[in-house]
Amino acid sequence: MDTVARFIAVADLRRVHGSRLGPLIIDVRRKAAFAPATHLVSGAIWRDPFAVETWAHFVPRHREVVVYCVHGHEISKNTASALAATGLRMSFLEGGIEAWKQAGGPLTKKLLMPLIPSPINQPSIWVTRERPKIDRVACPWLIRRFIDPLAEFAYVPADQVLDYASQHNAIPYDIPGVQFTHRGDKCSFDALITDFELNDGPLNRLAAIVRGADCGIPALTLQSSGLLALSVGLSALHADDHTMLDKGIDLYDALYAWAGHAADEMHHAALFGGAGAK
């Protein structure tokens, strides 16, 4: 079994960050360093580096894992080695969160209400109205990729959302009167980006697409009408809300990849007389 701590460069982690190809990211800064900090690497959870034995068995075994501390020194190296000894595929972030910040890597603001990041084996639970189409699929994608990678989601009738939230200590979203909901001409997806201070260029581009599709202004971006059509079509195909969510996650992964790496790419049918076909 390989228990050697290997590093991953910031550039390599950024290349897959926010996608289904990305690893589970664990912040292992000492409590004294983490407590006063205001932000984490986006999508990270925090765990005590001196209590690995209490939380290691809760880490999903099917995912690669990257840990980071402040500067990528002994704390993250030792934690990575300890986790590798349990059979996890491990790396530590070269240069730690400070190198990530210097490179402009996206960060997520810590919140106390709701408690993000969530504690050991207590993933955040989010609840909204049933029959999702746009915002209620986009928000779970955003939460899983940038806020809490272990988050769980529930869909219930609209008049039961608040009761469900109260009974299950869940976070309600995309209903009137809650924190993460429409604000003026912006949607719940925007509210999450604002409150968690998600500083990511491709994510802002995606937010405009979601806003146009969800708020009845499909001309806002060239892609909004397409997202609206695909979302309504997926909803028509899938009566089960969680199946709809699973299919929608793929859609938003693709849109985020486009926004980050392929937005300037054009397709021309050179074979049929056009030029520059891809």
Side-chain angles (χ1 to χ4, degrees), residues 98-248:
E98 290 303 315
W100 182 263
K101 290 178 182 177
Q102 291 174 13
L107 302 170
T108 297
K109 183 180 179 180
K110 290 163 54 181
L111 292 185
L112 296 179
M113 185 60 71
L115 182 60
I116 300 293
S118 54
I120 299 172
N121 201 34
Q122 295 180 42
S124 59
I125 303 171
W126 301 71
V127 60
T128 191
R129 297 169 289 132
E130 61 189 351
R131 302 306 300 142
K133 287 184 177 65
I134 301 170
D135 220 3
R136 285 166 287 152
V137 175
C139 288
W141 173 86
L142 179 65
I143 292 161
R144 283 258 178 91
R145 296 289 184 254
F146 290 89
I147 296 171
D148 182 357
L150 306 179
E152 298 177 356
F153 300 96
Y155 294 105
V156 301
D159 61 357
Q160 297 178 23
V161 171
L162 293 180
D163 285 343
Y164 185 99
S166 177
Q167 294 170 14
H168 296 85
N169 193 29
I171 305 164
Y173 68 98
D174 201 47
I175 63 166
V178 301
Q179 179 176 356
F180 303 114
T181 191
H182 287 231
R183 300 172 184 173
D185 61 353
K186 295 189 176 181
C187 60
S188 304
F189 194 87
D190 292 302
L192 288 166
I193 289 176
T194 297
D195 289 8
F196 284 99
E197 296 182 1
L198 296 170
N199 59 337
D200 180 66
L203 198 55
N204 291 332
R205 174 174 271 175
L206 176 55
I209 298 171
V210 173
R211 190 182 317 131
D214 192 68
C215 295
I217 43 176
L220 184 63
T221 73
L222 290 174
Q223 297 76 31
S224 293
S225 291
L227 176 59
L228 174 60
L230 288 168
S231 300
V232 173
L234 282 174
S235 179
L237 287 173
H238 303 290
D240 179 78
D241 291 346
H242 284 91
T243 301
M244 171 67 184
L245 176 59
D246 289 342
K247 300 297 182 182

